[in-house]
Amino acid sequence: MTRILVTTDGSELGHGALAHAQALAGAAHAALTVLCVQADPAVLVGEFAYVPPVDPEAFAAQAQALRAELQTLAPGARVRVEPAAGRTLLRAILDVVHDEDAALIVMSTHGRSGLGRALLGSVAEAVAHHVPVPVMLVRAGQVPAVWGVTEPDRPAAAHTPTA
C-alpha cells in the first residue's frame, strides 16, 4: 500500500477518521492524503430553495482556514481542500481517488440505518459502492487500532510450534 486517502467534511465526526488513517499509514509506511470537499451550497439545500450567492473571497478564506486546521491535525500529510465545483461529493471524491492513485480510503460514518439513511443518504455508502479500492469506515467514537509495524525489508517472524 503506497497511498491512503482519508476524507473529512470538516466536522468533529469527519475528523474522527484522521487518527485511524494516520495509524494505518504509519504502520504500512504509506503516504497520507487528507481530503475535504467543500460542497456547493445549492447541492445541499436542493433545487427548490433560494440560496444566496456565495462570496468567492469568503469561500476561499474558509478553505484556507480548513486547510490550516487539517495540517495541524495531520502533520506530514498532504492536505487537499477541494471545491465540489458542481460535482456531487461522490464524484469529487472519486476524482481525487484517481488523481492520488489511492490504494485505500478511510472515512467516518454516522452509522445511520433504516429511515435515517433512506432520507439523508450516506456519502460513505456511496463511496464504498463506487470506488475501485477498499474503503475503511470508522464509526463515531471508535478507538483507533494499534497496527503491527514490521520493517519493510524484514519479513515478520515465523511462528514455530513447540513440542
Side-chain angles (χ1 to χ4, degrees):
M1 184 175 333
T2 58
R3 180 162 303 278
I4 296 173
L5 176 70
V6 59
T7 65
T8 180
D9 61 3
S11 69
E12 186 176 334
L13 173 70
H15 290 347
L18 292 174
H20 295 268
Q22 288 171 305
L24 186 55
H29 306 286
L32 181 63
T33 298
V34 180
L35 170 66
C36 182
V37 177
Q38 286 183 296
D40 294 329
V43 173
L44 293 177
V45 175
E47 61 188 57
F48 300 108
Y50 171 73
V51 179
V54 177
D55 175 29
E57 289 179 11
F59 197 72
Q62 181 186 24
Q64 185 58 34
L66 186 56
R67 186 174 291 106
E69 177 186 3
L70 292 172
Q71 287 172 333
T72 300
L73 292 172
R78 179 175 179 190
V79 174
R80 290 181 65 165
V81 177
E82 301 272 329
R87 301 172 292 177
T88 64
L89 295 176
L90 172 62
R91 180 76 257 163
I93 292 169
L94 288 171
D95 290 346
V96 173
V97 167
H98 177 73
D99 291 349
E100 294 287 328
D101 195 26
L104 174 73
I105 301 169
V106 181
M107 302 180 75
S108 294
T109 180
H110 287 92
R112 290 188 188 102
S113 61
L115 187 59
R117 186 170 71 199
L119 292 174
L120 297 173
S122 170
V123 174
E125 183 177 9
V127 168
H129 285 289
H130 291 92
V131 296
V133 297
V135 177
M136 179 176 147
L137 297 178
V138 178
R139 285 185 176 238
Q142 193 172 4
V143 178
V146 177
W147 299 93
V149 179
T150 59
E151 295 298 320
D153 298 324
R154 240 167 90 202
H159 175 71
T160 54
T162 56

